[in-house]
Amino acid sequence: MRQRQLDESTVTALVAEATAAPSMHNAQPWRFRFDTAESVLLVRADTERAMPGSDPDNRALHIGCGAAVFNLRVAAAHAGLSSRTRLLPEPGDPLLMAAVQLAGPSGTPGVEDDLVRLHPAIRQRHTSRHPFADKDVPEDVQAGLQRAAAAEGAMLLFARPWHIETVLDLVHDAESRDALDAGARKDLERWTRLGPEADTAVDGVPEYAFGPRKRDGKAPLRDFAGRRPVADRGSTAFEHTPHLALLSTSGDEPADWLRAGQALERVLLEATLANLATSLTSHPLESADLRRLARDPVSGTGQVQMVLRLGYGPRGPATPRRPVADVLDIV
């Protein structure tokens, strides 16, 4: 790739797109450092935003950083840049998630075209905590999402009805455990924004993004309010037959988690372009024993990294992001 000097405004724009990625409780556990001489953008984990109660191994932290790396690749392609990504490039520095080498166009037609196509979805994608319509996701759309996961080295399995019931049971088990787990409650409370704080938040899940209370239905939704008083959100019925997909990787090491994050974001962007609303639940995956049970015993051979809920309905409001100046250093 032909190296190209990038100005500060271009790098800032790339990082702004990267930080639109999803992360657990919208903690945004990343930092960026751009080396102007080498045109390399480094993505680092911000462990001050880790969740020791809910994510003791930092698996979800890696997935969030991986999703940001994928957005960065899409943004670079849209800006006419080629990118070469190395995951965990320094064995002695486990907090360095990725090094993304940026350069001029590759000169090979089609190499970046598929990424460019996804770019409009970066700002359109939001987590939806609203009910979805009782409507099937067409098989060709499912197949397209599976190809998106495979392109990043992951697998996407659409759960069959009996498997959905198993996953929902695991969600209920996780909810019961959380009620008794002070560490998990502490993580959730740290990253929710209530009252006036929601209007000025730059991270976390503000109360306007909680969605309505579930009066009926089986959709897996985390109750961010818990027992704390919040503005009246109303209540409504959610779908009785939710469409769930499980994202898996063959391995279960930090590099696999980063690949899962990239695959997750690629799937979410493809789903957004297909007019699907999406939400994520890691609830049944936050305990090692429950996570093992989430796998489809018939066809699931990998390690489940995320459960996706997909359907047709409101996309949900945008959640806040930290200013780029707070997460980017240019040297």
Side-chain angles (χ1 to χ4, degrees), residues 37 62 82 89 117 120 125 131 169 185 191 197 236 246 270 274-275 312 317:
H62 281 74
S82 293
R117 180 179 59 82
R125 183 215 63 81
D169 286 343
R185 291 199 308 273
W191 294 107
E197 186 184 18
T236 189
L246 280 68
E270 287 282 7
N275 295 316
Y312 296 94

Side-chain angles (χ1 to χ4, degrees), residues 286-297:
E286 291 163 18
S287 299
D289 55 342
L290 296 183
R291 184 173 170 229
R292 284 191 294 271
L293 297 174
R295 179 191 299 171
D296 185 331

Side-chain angles (χ1 to χ4, degrees), residues 8 10-11 16 39 49 66 71 77 82 86-87 105 111 116 151 166 178 204 229 275 280 303 320:
E8 184 172 333
T10 299
V11 175
S39 290
R49 293 171 174 270
N71 272 4
S82 293
R86 292 180 296 140
L87 300 180
V111 171
V116 173
T166 297
D178 278 2
N275 295 316
L280 308 174
Q303 306 292 327

Side-chain angles (χ1 to χ4, degrees), residues 175 188 210 213 221-228 233 283:
E175 290 172 342
L188 186 142
F210 287 3
R213 291 186 179 86
L221 297 167
R222 195 188 297 259
D223 185 1
F224 283 93
R227 297 180 179 179
R228 295 169 296 168
R233 300 140 55 197
H283 217 160

Side-chain angles (χ1 to χ4, degrees), residues 128-251:
S128 177
R129 299 180 182 90
H130 292 267
F132 297 162
D134 184 16
K135 177 182 176 182
D136 289 338
V137 178
E139 290 187 3
D140 62 326
V141 175
Q142 293 186 30
L145 299 181
Q146 289 174 321
R147 288 193 297 271
E152 300 300 327
M155 299 153 283
L156 188 71
L157 173 71
F158 283 83
R160 289 165 290 186
W162 64 267
H163 190 197
I164 289 174
E165 292 299 325
T166 297
V167 174
L168 294 177
D169 286 343
L170 296 177
V171 171
H172 295 150
D173 285 348
E175 290 172 342
S176 298
R177 292 185 183 192
D178 278 2
L180 302 173
D181 185 345
R185 291 199 308 273
K186 183 177 180 180
D187 285 340
L188 186 142
E189 291 173 3
R190 178 188 176 194
W191 294 107
T192 49
R193 308 289 181 245
L194 306 180
E197 186 184 18
D199 297 330
T200 58
V202 296
D203 55 15
V205 182
E207 64 180 19
Y208 59 75
F210 287 3
R213 291 186 179 86
K214 184 169 64 174
R215 184 177 67 242
D216 192 15
K218 293 186 175 182
L221 297 167
R222 195 188 297 259
D223 185 1
F224 283 93
R227 297 180 179 179
R228 295 169 296 168
V230 300
D232 185 19
R233 300 140 55 197
S235 63
T236 189
F238 283 71
E239 59 267 33
H240 282 270
T241 308
H243 296 293
L244 303 183
L246 280 68
L247 182 78
S248 302
T249 53
S250 57

Side-chain angles (χ1 to χ4, degrees), residues 14 28-29 41 51 79 85 89 91 95 113 125 145 162 176 187 213 271 280 302-303 308 313-314 329:
L14 296 179
Q28 304 170 45
L41 194 51
M51 301 183 197
T85 302
L95 297 183
D113 290 352
R125 183 215 63 81
L145 299 181
W162 64 267
S176 298
D187 285 340
R213 291 186 179 86
L280 308 174
Q303 306 292 327
L308 294 78
D329 296 313

Side-chain angles (χ1 to χ4, degrees), residues 73 77-78 81-82 105-118 151 266:
R73 290 167 52 199
H78 180 259
L81 301 168
S82 293
S106 67
T108 305
V111 171
E112 267 80 36
D113 290 352
D114 204 39
L115 295 178
V116 173
R117 180 179 59 82
L118 296 173
R266 188 164 198 146

